[in-house]
Amino acid sequence: MRRQVLSLLVENTAGVTSHISGLFSRRGYNIDSFSSGVTADPRYTRITIVASGDEQILEQIEKQLSKLEDVLDIKKLEQGASVTRELILVKLRAKDTDRQAILNVTEIFHGKVVDVTHDSMVIELTGHQDKLDAFLDLLGGYEILELARTGITGLTRGCADVKFL
C-alpha cells in the first residue's frame, strides 16, 4: 500500500468539501488527512488530501477527483519535488519539575510553548510528519492529555506548474 498526497485547487463554493469527501465515502476510499484553506484569491480554496491504497486505487481517486466540476487543478505532491508541513498542538501534564525537560526537547525541535497552567503545557510544533512523530516519541515519558494534528498541507517546488486562473 502506498501513500499519496494530492493538492487540489477548487472553487470556493458552498459544499465543495462535502462533494470531495462524498466521493471518497461513496467509493469506499479512506482519507488519511484532509486540510483546506482559502488561497490568496478568495474565489479559490486549496485542499490537500492524503490517501492510501494500491496503484489502481490511487489512480482512480485522481481520475474521479478530476471529474468533479469544482476541481480546477490537481497536483501530486511527490517527496523532493514539493514542500509539505503539518501542525500539531500537544497538551502535556507538566509538573514544575518536568517543565524544563519538556522545554529543552521543544527547543531542539523548534517548537513553541503556547500555554502554561499549574499542571499542564500546550506546545505548538510545525514540520514534516517524521519530525512531529519523532517529537511525540521523545515525549513518551510524559502524559499527553490532548493532541490535535492539522493533517498535511503542501505545495510543489518552483513555479513551472503554477496554474493561473
Side-chain angles (χ1 to χ4, degrees):
M1 192 172 304
R2 193 170 69 83
R3 226 176 92 178
Q4 184 167 297
V5 181
L6 296 172
S7 177
L8 283 61
L9 185 64
V10 300
E11 292 184 24
N12 187 11
T13 58
V16 69
T17 55
S18 177
H19 292 140
I20 291 169
S21 62
L23 179 145
F24 279 78
S25 64
R26 280 191 309 278
R27 303 245 187 293
Y29 302 143
N30 189 40
I31 297 173
D32 295 337
S33 86
F34 188 105
S35 70
S36 69
V38 176
T39 65
D41 185 335
R43 297 176 297 168
Y44 307 109
T45 294
R46 173 135 346 252
I47 297 175
T48 307
I49 299 172
V50 181
S52 299
D54 60 29
E55 290 299 322
Q56 183 181 5
I57 288 174
L58 295 175
E59 187 178 314
Q60 278 300 311
I61 289 171
E62 192 173 351
K63 285 179 181 178
Q64 294 298 319
L65 285 169
S66 67
K67 290 180 183 179
L68 294 177
E69 192 175 304
D70 295 328
V71 176
L72 305 171
D73 187 41
I74 300 174
K75 291 186 180 90
K76 290 181 188 175
L77 299 184
E78 304 287 352
Q79 194 168 1
S82 63
V83 177
T84 60
R85 294 291 182 265
E86 183 177 7
L87 166 77
I88 61 171
L89 293 174
V90 185
K91 185 188 295 182
L92 300 165
R93 184 172 312 282
K95 302 173 190 155
D96 290 340
T97 55
D98 297 332
R99 287 201 179 121
Q100 189 57 51
I102 293 169
L103 189 57
N104 290 342
V105 173
T106 300
E107 287 175 358
I108 289 168
F109 282 85
H110 304 288
K112 187 181 345 176
V113 175
V114 293
D115 185 60
V116 177
T117 66
H118 293 292
D119 57 355
S120 71
M121 295 173 76
V122 176
I123 298 166
E124 171 189 310
L125 185 63
T126 305
H128 192 270
Q129 212 170 21
D130 294 340
K131 173 185 171 182
L132 304 183
D133 291 339
F135 176 71
L136 292 173
D137 187 50
L138 284 177
L139 293 178
Y142 302 99
E143 184 181 357
I144 296 176
L145 301 171
E146 291 183 287
L147 173 66
R149 296 182 85 138
T150 61
I152 294 173
T153 191
L155 296 171
T156 57
R157 293 181 184 271
C159 57
D161 65 349
V162 174
K163 181 160 185 157
F164 296 99
L165 302 173

